[in-house]
């Protein structure tokens, strides 16, 4: 049965809950496979921009593209909770537009929405929650802030920055978000923010003590090129497997070995 936002909110490890498992997906096959693997949450992330659309950052994905991919994920009818990212500029211009865009993601098939930022997004979070849409927070190395950060850099490396992150997390919790993704921070910061909160944290590059973990589908399966980030563990080399399969197909076509008799339709009597 599909996990609801309130059920996820209750999944705190210190209260004996199992760690939450979240993975991204962007289409029907990805969502179907992730669901069959038994993940708790599928994130239709704005990492769509990087790993599917080939951009260098997440700033190039629109609300229209996100809705398109949320609908593809929802078509898999996954058992997992589906949370969708509000992309850059879909919630930065005011609460009214943020609620309208969150509603578009829900109508496309999401169960909740995720947005980046802490105190600065307080009004927007409140407005979306007032529209009865569950919200997941995202703090730390928030990729939509790449220009402000001057690159993809580990965050909360000073005492002051770690305290600011804790404050942001508490404000999001007080507003009513049901969970918070904590990305790209020292493990101790991941541990402390998890201890400080009554709602679950879901870490990516935030150490082993968060209440759950999230990885990007293409990173986990070895479908990305280049050196993966430090926090990525590759569970498969699906990229090599796929290239090898396509190369065998190409070789068969060139050798006249595909299609064979079993892969062709028989000639009807009348045409002989
Ligand atoms: O878009 C995404 O994939 C994300 C994860 C990195 C948490 O936000």
């Amino acid at each position: 049965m599909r996990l609801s936002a309130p059920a996820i909110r209750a999944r705190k490890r210190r209260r004996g809950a199992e760690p939450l498992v979240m993975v991204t997906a962007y289409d029907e096959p990805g969502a179907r496979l992730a669901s069959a693997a038994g993940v708790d949450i599928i994130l239709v992330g704005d990492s769509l921009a990087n790993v599917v659309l080939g951009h260098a950052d997440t700033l190039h994905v629109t609300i229209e593209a996100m809705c398109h991919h949320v609908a593809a994920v929802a078509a898999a009818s996954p058992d997992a909770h589906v949370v969708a990212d509000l992309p850059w500029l879909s919630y930065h211009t005011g609460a009214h537009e943020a609620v309208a865009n969150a509603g578009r993601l829900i109508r496309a098939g999401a169960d909740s929405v995720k947005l980046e930022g802490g105190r600065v997004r307080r009004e927007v979070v409140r407005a979306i929650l007032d529209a009865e849409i569950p919200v997941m927070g995202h703090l730390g190395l928030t990729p939509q802030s790449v220009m402000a950060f001057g690159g993809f850099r580990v965050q909360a490396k000073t005492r002051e920055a770690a305290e600011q992150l804790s404050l942001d997390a508490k404000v999001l919790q007080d507003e009513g978000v049901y969970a918070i993704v904590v990305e790209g921070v020292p493990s101790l910061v991941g541990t402390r923010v998890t201890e400080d909160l009554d709602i679950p944290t879901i870490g990516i590059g935030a150490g082993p003590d968060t209440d759950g973990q999230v990885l990007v589908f293409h990173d986990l399966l070895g479908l990305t090129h280049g050196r993966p980030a430090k926090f990525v563990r590759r569970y498969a080399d699906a990229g090599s497997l796929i290239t090898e399969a396509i190369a065998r197909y190409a070789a068969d076509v060139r050798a006249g070995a595909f299609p064979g008799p079993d892969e062709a339709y028989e000639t009807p009597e009348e045409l002989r």
Side-chain angles (χ1 to χ4, degrees), residues 138-162:
H138 187 161
L139 295 173
L141 200 184
T142 44
Q144 292 173 14
S145 314
V146 61
M147 291 186 294
F149 290 159
F152 295 100
R153 300 179 200 289
V154 175
Q155 297 296 304
K157 285 170 75 176
T158 63
R159 190 181 300 277
E160 209 218 315

Side-chain angles (χ1 to χ4, degrees), residues 24 43 45-47 85 114 138 181 183 204 214 216:
T24 66
L43 167 64
D46 59 357
S47 51
D85 263 336
K114 173 166 84 59
H138 187 161
V181 167
E183 176 167 359
I204 175 160
V214 52
V216 168

Side-chain angles (χ1 to χ4, degrees), residues 18-107:
E18 262 205 323
L20 286 160
V21 180
M22 179 155 101
V23 69
T24 66
Y26 315 94
D27 56 20
E28 194 276 341
R32 181 164 32 81
L33 296 170
S35 183
V39 303
D40 298 307
I41 308 170
I42 291 175
L43 167 64
V44 188
D46 59 357
S47 51
L48 167 71
N50 308 108
V51 296
V52 176
L53 304 178
H55 295 292
D57 54 50
T58 59
L59 307 179
H60 292 84
V61 77
T62 60
I63 187 72
E64 286 75 21
M66 288 301 301
C67 288
H68 185 78
H69 286 267
V70 167
V73 163
S77 302
D79 287 335
H81 181 94
V82 176
V83 55
D85 263 336
L86 277 161
W88 183 58
L89 287 191
S90 71
Y91 59 97
H92 300 71
T93 54
H96 184 78
E97 204 180 347
V99 172
N101 285 324
R104 289 175 73 179
L105 293 172
I106 297 298
R107 288 210 169 117

Side-chain angles (χ1 to χ4, degrees), residues 238-255:
S240 301
L241 206 70
I242 290 169
T243 304
E244 198 231 318
I246 296 173
R248 282 197 287 120
Y249 158 68
D252 280 355
V253 170
R254 288 178 184 132

